[in-house]
Amino acid sequence: MGEEIVKIFDTTLRDGEQAPGCGMTAEEKLKVAYQLEKLGVDIIEAGFPISSEGDFQAVRLIAEKIRNCEIAALCRANFKDIDRGWEAIKVAECPRIHTFIATSDIHLKYKLRKTREEVLEIIDAAVRYAKRYTENVEFSCEDATRTDLDYLCQAVEVAIKAGATTINIPDTVGYTIPEEFAYIIRVLRERVSGLDKVTLSVHCHNDLGLAVANSLAAIKEGARQVECTINGIGERAGNASLEEIVMALKVRHDRHPFKTRIVTEQIYPTSRLVSQVTGVNVQPNKAIVGANAFAHEAGIHQDGVLKERMTYEIMRPEEVGIPSNKIILGKHSGRHAFRKRLEEFGYFLNDKDFEIAFQRFKDLADKKKYVFDEDIEALIGEQFVRSSDFYKLISVNFASGTDMQPVATVRLLIDGKEVTASEYGDGPVDAVYKAISKATGMHPNLEHYVVSAITGGTDAQGEVTVRVEEDGVVSQGQGASTDIVVASAKAFINALNKLRWRKEHPRRASSKGI
Ligand code: KIV
Ligand code: ZN
């Protein structure tokens, strides 16, 4: 008998996108979806179509374009949500309706104001309604881990009888612990008739830092689908991280004899893409994909790794697609070498995009002696993941020093027209930000500003991440350049583009507001 498969259900584009500052445009979501397809996920939860017109369009676009993954749409357990969800995914090769309702007494009493009986009826009706559209229906008991276990068994049984083909048990508030979650899964499997005929799934949140441990405990007890996100992004403390679950299953195959279809070498490129699209950096000590995940600092560790890498490394960086930090290209490198390196990264560009990227690479190589892999990633990220460009930077010039008040002039293309503005500031970045605000007429609060070096040396590329807020709408932006003031300008403009896009495309509902 072959090894059992654990299906990977990626919800980066739905639960991940719900995290503050992680909102994405339709084009950005599609870009991530293409990469998830390459990564080999089984199911992409593309969004929550009823939540906004923008999300509906994004889900429909993904359903049209992605051919090798199932495409799921989240819908609350009501007919309107299900109609809208189906409308968005019906063109997919393999569409899935994912419908849910809360089952815990806390949610029933305070949020739904419904009795247990009423909720069972809603489950039955919603799943039966979804089945009129497709065979492939997933049902989730929101807040399952705080639900009375007998009632949870009842709710799951009703969903199965109504035709659900996947039953998902979410730890919505990240409350459970591995032994308890294992027990819940065991009891469900023992008591619920028909559960052995459907796929049992889990969906864990990370409020106590246990999302991955809980998911693994559930797999041991028979769960054969895990719901997770790239970089663990998601509501509050996030969701179970895809890369951690997949690599735990792979590295500790001795204890978890299951397979996934993930192409692990695509993990790092996917992590980078999600971080560039959302503007949310991965913490340096993050397992698998953090900047320090394979860095050995202590002398004793370096010595051990140089003698035999297995002394301190339980997996090879190449296995997860982390490129070695070798010097790859310089200003004499030609198109062929550049294209080859891009393809190693997983970027297959058409001729027009390639020419733009190549010119940007040449400009960078003129300023920097060595161009590292990370520099190229930053450059490509900037070129291709930024979208909704209402504002484009044409030039930025500034002067500052110990004896003068910093001053900056920016030239922007705004909705197709060139606009120039100058301002003084407390420092060069402040002057640039004031000039950009004047030119765009946008004056958001700057909540967060971080500079980090992407590569080493005094000619390193600096990456700036900013978070801005206006009228309760938040957005993040990133920019990279060898000059950190220029990187700051790019990051601010990127954040303003997203902010304006978000303000023009407000969400109508949240997935938790039933
Ligand atoms: O956390 C949760 O309960 C969810 C459900 C909608 C599956 O995201
Ligand atoms: Zn969730």
Side-chain angles (χ1 to χ4, degrees):
M1 206 176 92
E3 248 170 15
E4 280 188 76
I5 299 263
V6 173
K7 289 189 198 171
I8 300 295
F9 176 113
D10 182 278
T11 183
T12 306
L13 299 176
R14 199 279 297 170
D15 223 345
E17 209 226 353
Q18 283 173 213
C22 287
M24 300 172 220
T25 63
E27 306 85 77
E28 287 171 336
K29 285 182 97 169
L30 181 62
K31 207 167 282 290
V32 173
Y34 274 127
Q35 181 57 34
L36 291 172
E37 186 179 37
K38 208 186 268 179
L39 177 66
V41 308
D42 297 280
I43 303 110
I44 295 176
E45 185 162 55
F48 182 23
I50 195 117
S51 68
S52 69
E53 178 59 29
D55 211 35
F56 174 85
Q57 296 299 349
V59 176
R60 193 154 69 174
L61 189 63
I62 291 168
E64 249 170 47
K65 303 281 182 195
I66 302 293
R67 297 281 101 184
N68 297 311
C69 307
E70 290 181 37
I71 306 297
L74 185 71
C75 316
R76 289 166 296 192
N78 66 61
F79 298 171
K80 234 172 123 196
D81 272 42
I82 293 170
D83 288 340
R84 193 76 178 141
W86 177 249
E87 197 50 36
I89 56 168
K90 65 182 185 197
V91 292
E93 193 72 34
C94 186
R96 175 185 293 198
I97 294 178
H98 177 192
T99 186
F100 75 99
I101 192 167
T103 48
S104 68
D105 286 337
I106 304 171
H107 280 239
L108 263 59
K109 180 168 174 199
Y110 298 106
K111 190 180 81 173
L112 301 177
R113 303 210 161 89
K114 301 232 178 283
T115 64
R116 286 185 177 186
E117 267 316 309
E118 284 171 325
V119 168
L120 293 181
E121 279 162 24
I122 292 173
I123 295 172
D124 182 64
V127 174
R128 282 181 199 284
Y129 190 74
K131 287 293 279 195
R132 294 175 16 176
Y133 288 128
T134 172
E135 185 45 35
N136 193 359
V137 174
E138 171 168 338
F139 173 72
S140 290
C141 306
E142 194 189 7
D143 206 18
T145 53
R146 293 190 303 166
T147 298
D148 171 77
L149 198 44
D150 290 334
Y151 181 62
L152 185 66
C153 291
Q154 259 182 290
V156 168
E157 200 158 319
V158 167
I160 293 173
K161 285 214 171 96
T165 44
T166 300
I167 292 292
N168 182 40
I169 306 299
D171 181 27
T172 303
V173 289
Y175 175 73
T176 199
I177 56 175
E179 67 202 68
E180 180 187 64
F181 200 40
Y183 175 73
I184 293 172
I185 301 298
R186 202 176 316 138
V187 169
L188 282 166
R189 289 191 71 213
E190 279 164 11
R191 291 204 211 148
V192 177
S193 90
L195 194 53
D196 54 335
K197 306 280 184 310
V198 304
T199 302
L200 180 56
S201 167
V202 290
H203 172 117
C204 297
H205 279 266
N206 207 27
D207 298 64
L208 293 174
L210 292 170
V212 170
N214 288 333
S215 306
L216 294 175
I219 290 172
K220 276 209 122 173
E221 291 296 335
R224 290 294 174 267
Q225 173 180 293
V226 276
E227 304 198 351
C228 44
T229 61
I230 301 295
N231 299 338
I233 62 169
E235 289 271 7
R236 306 179 310 279
N239 288 59
S241 130
L242 180 148
E243 58 277 9
E244 293 176 25
I245 292 179
V246 167
M247 291 315 288
L249 290 176
K250 188 168 181 200
V251 173
R252 296 310 311 271
H253 188 259
D254 55 328
R255 292 284 173 147
H256 306 104
F258 309 107
K259 273 205 308 217
T260 70
R261 296 196 183 87
I262 296 297
V263 180
T264 59
E265 291 74 14
Q266 290 296 332
I267 285 179
Y268 184 69
T270 315
S271 160
R272 288 293 301 162
L273 178 66
V274 168
S275 143
Q276 283 167 347
V277 164
T278 58
V280 176
N281 285 337
V282 170
Q283 79 200 54
N285 59 329
K286 164 85 176 59
I288 318 294
V289 292
N292 296 344
F294 293 92
H296 302 279
E297 187 68 34
I300 191 166
H301 286 202
Q302 285 180 351
D303 181 54
V305 169
L306 286 173
K307 287 178 177 147
E308 167 53 61
R309 63 201 289 179
M310 266 165 65
T311 50
Y312 288 98
E313 266 183 17
I314 59 166
M315 57 196 148
R316 287 173 302 117
E318 297 83 352
E319 262 180 281
V320 295
I322 295 189
S324 50
N325 190 16
K326 52 187 189 279
I327 297 162
I328 53 157
L329 298 166
K331 67 176 174 185
H332 302 299
S333 308
R335 284 184 169 70
H336 182 72
F338 184 61
R339 192 184 278 280
K340 190 160 177 297
R341 197 65 201 116
L342 288 183
E343 290 181 359
E344 279 166 19
F345 272 119
Y347 294 113
F348 296 86
L349 307 187
N350 63 34
D351 289 347
K352 187 166 154 260
D353 287 342
F354 176 78
E355 270 317 307
I356 299 170
F358 186 66
Q359 281 323 315
R360 291 172 59 116
F361 157 68
K362 281 289 180 189
D363 289 348
L364 183 64
D366 276 343
K367 292 187 208 143
K368 269 187 114 237
K369 196 162 157 203
Y370 301 122
V371 179
F372 293 89
D373 289 350
E374 290 88 335
D375 292 321
I376 293 182
E377 273 195 285
L379 178 150
I380 288 289
E382 271 216 347
Q383 181 178 338
F384 295 104
V385 303
R386 312 291 182 224
S387 51
S388 326
D389 281 354
F390 305 108
Y391 313 118
K392 286 206 171 88
L393 182 67
I394 301 171
S395 66
V396 49
N397 292 295
F398 44 88
S400 70
T402 49
D403 297 327
M404 66 176 293
Q405 190 180 1
V407 60
T409 300
V410 295
R411 212 147 55 88
L412 304 184
L413 198 62
I414 303 182
D415 299 327
K417 272 204 226 98
E418 220 176 282
V419 179
T420 302
S422 300
E423 272 292 349
Y424 288 98
D426 290 336
V429 174
D430 186 49
V432 166
Y433 280 22
K434 282 184 174 141
I436 293 172
S437 290
K438 191 173 176 182
T440 58
M442 293 189 76
H443 299 271
N445 301 319
L446 182 64
E447 289 193 333
H448 189 70
Y449 170 88
V450 181
V451 185
S452 49
I454 301 176
T455 47
T458 48
D459 64 353
Q461 279 219 88
E463 185 170 66
V464 172
T465 303
V466 297
R467 187 169 63 223
V468 299
E469 181 275 337
E470 194 172 70
D471 303 328
V473 182
V474 174
S475 78
Q476 305 241 24
Q478 276 184 321
S481 166
T482 48
D483 184 314
I484 62 155
V485 182
V486 176
S488 303
K490 289 178 175 178
F492 191 48
I493 289 170
N494 181 230
L496 292 185
N497 276 319
K498 290 184 175 176
L499 187 67
R500 179 162 155 194
W501 188 87
R502 269 182 208 140
K503 291 185 93 163
E504 289 176 7
H505 300 83
R507 285 182 179 270
R508 271 191 232 120
S510 103
S511 74
K512 305 288 156 161
I514 197 157

